[in-house]
Amino acid sequence: MKKTLRIIVSVALLVTMLSMTLLPSFAEAVPGDPDDPSTWPFDTVFSEIMIEKFRAFYDQVDESGITNGDKALEFTRTGYGGYAPQWYDSVDMRYMLTLPYFSFCWDWTGQHISGFCNYFLDTTTMRYFSCVFHGSLDLSGSEIRGITIGSPLHAAPTRITSVTLNDCENLTGVVIYGQPYCTEFHGLNTRVDVVNGICLDQCDFRLIELQLGAEREPIIVKTLGNGSVNFVYKYPAINNDDPMYHITAVSKTGEFLGWYSDGQRIETSTAYVGNETEGANLTAVFAGDVDGDGALTVADALTIMRGSLGVVDCPLTMGDIDGSGDLSIADAILLARLLLGVA
């Protein structure tokens, strides 16, 4: 019996040794030097469009000369939520270095999904880790399924200024929360219904344009004056399965003159509610009533123009239509266009 067992063990060891000599090493099986992004195996996970879009994002340089890619790679190497260093040696981590965690998420089954998230919760220490990215994120035409940049649970503020997700056929959910530099969101022609909700909240959005389904009309929300807008639709943490979308105007001066569409004021409350099947073209107006009569008129536009030329006094809070911080003829033109329904 002992002799038989020794033979079995010996054969097993021999097979193992042979397999090790015949099979390539881990480094060979997963080519690429973690210190050289140009050698990372991009084609193993993502489409060419996705790779191109993320490379463009990671190549952006901040005012200190640091790229988004540098920030992401440093983050994954120096802690990554408290995981042990040896975890980085796995095949999956090498793929994540291809486009670090922020563009490669996992679902509860352990399968990868195409997503973007700028923070991570270490469930051992219950600490959040995040990366301060910057610039514009444009993933148009890619297979991206979800975007999370901050959340009501963890704002994780960045310096990302805009997010563009036009023509993303697989998009199912978007969360952009607590981002003080983010002023624009574009999500047109997504072609599929959003099933996991949209939360564009607590940011500085001056322009939001999106569609809630392939056959639905676009919803376009703009601002005039010193203020921003929030947009929430079917987001579980806020309004769950409500078929209505909710837009909120947030003034930085305390002034709000109403929601305008086609040259007319249609709502004076800061909250606007619309049905998911209906499109909209709205402007949240925070300035323009320079004569204080409670209405926007051509006379206000003329006063702003004359104020910009120094002919008359014009209150900056009401006259600064474009939010630039001063008066100009451009402010008068913007107000006139609003009143004509072409803003």
Side-chain angles (χ1 to χ4, degrees):
M1 180 67 180
K2 291 182 179 180
K3 183 177 181 180
T4 302
L5 182 60
R6 283 198 299 270
I7 293 174
I8 294 174
V9 172
S10 299
V11 170
L13 287 173
L14 179 61
V15 170
T16 300
M17 292 174 66
L18 286 172
S19 65
M20 291 177 66
T21 60
L22 294 174
L23 293 176
S25 67
F26 171 78
E28 295 172 335
V30 185
D33 179 358
D35 294 317
D36 183 2
S38 67
T39 68
W40 293 349
F42 284 99
D43 59 347
T44 56
V45 178
F46 299 104
S47 70
E48 291 185 5
I49 293 178
M50 180 80 93
I51 294 166
E52 176 187 348
K53 295 292 185 177
F54 270 115
R55 274 181 169 155
F57 176 69
Y58 287 131
D59 283 345
Q60 292 180 76
V61 182
D62 68 11
E63 61 275 9
S64 301
I66 302 174
T67 68
N68 281 330
D70 292 335
K71 294 178 180 180
L73 191 56
E74 180 67 18
F75 178 84
T76 55
R77 287 177 171 174
T78 57
Y80 196 70
Y83 281 105
Q86 60 266 25
W87 191 73
Y88 300 143
D89 294 331
S90 70
V91 175
D92 295 331
M93 187 58 199
R94 182 64 63 87
Y95 286 164
M96 293 178 79
L97 285 176
T98 300
L99 296 172
Y101 172 74
F102 315 102
S103 54
F104 193 88
C105 301
W106 296 82
D107 65 18
W108 65 273
T109 65
Q111 301 299 310
H112 78 268
I113 60 174
S114 297
F116 178 95
C117 183
N118 74 308
Y119 70 91
F120 177 79
L121 172 63
D122 176 10
T123 55
T124 302
T125 63
M126 296 309 291
R127 290 176 57 200
Y128 283 101
F129 296 82
S130 56
C131 196
V132 184
F133 291 119
H134 56 270
S136 58
L137 175 63
D138 182 355
L139 300 177
S140 297
S142 72
E143 68 268 30
I144 196 77
R145 291 180 57 187
I147 291 284
T148 300
I149 305 176
S151 77
L153 297 177
H154 183 58
T158 69
R159 288 180 174 265
I160 291 177
T161 56
S162 65
V163 176
T164 304
L165 303 174
N166 296 332
D167 302 302
C168 292
E169 299 182 1
N170 299 321
L171 189 66
T172 61
V174 177
V175 178
I176 306 175
Y177 185 95
Q179 305 303 311
Y181 294 89
C182 199
T183 61
E184 294 187 13
F185 175 81
H186 308 270
L188 296 175
N189 198 26
T190 59
R191 300 203 179 106
V192 295
D193 292 336
V194 174
V195 296
N196 292 326
I198 297 176
C199 178
L200 310 175
D201 198 9
Q202 304 298 311
C203 299
D204 193 30
F205 287 113
R206 308 299 178 92
L207 173 62
I208 295 174
E209 50 182 15
L210 47 77
Q211 285 173 277
L212 300 180
E215 305 301 326
R216 295 175 180 173
E217 293 297 315
I219 299 167
I220 300 175
V221 187
K222 303 179 290 291
T223 65
L224 288 182
N226 197 359
S228 61
V229 289
N230 301 324
F231 184 98
V232 177
Y233 168 69
K234 285 189 176 180
Y235 185 59
I238 298 178
N239 64 348
N240 212 0
D241 293 327
D242 185 355
M244 312 300 285
Y245 59 83
H246 300 255
I247 312 175
T248 307
V250 182
S251 175
K252 296 183 179 181
T253 64
E255 302 286 349
F256 179 65
L257 304 180
W259 296 96
Y260 279 72
S261 182
D262 296 326
Q264 302 294 319
R265 183 165 60 184
I266 61 173
E267 176 63 62
T268 58
S269 169
T270 56
Y272 180 91
V273 180
N275 190 283
E276 63 184 359
T277 61
E278 301 172 353
N281 192 337
L282 303 168
T283 301
V285 180
F286 303 95
D289 184 19
V290 292
D291 60 13
D293 66 356
L296 296 180
T297 64
V298 174
D300 292 310
L302 290 173
T303 300
I304 293 172
M305 181 183 67
R306 298 182 69 195
S308 69
L309 298 173
V311 177
V312 299
D313 291 331
C314 180
L316 180 61
T317 300
M318 276 295 169
D320 183 17
I321 303 297
D322 61 7
S324 64
D326 56 21
L327 294 180
S328 69
I329 293 179
D331 293 310
I333 293 174
L334 275 175
L335 181 55
R337 288 174 58 84
L338 174 73
L339 297 174
L340 293 172
V342 294

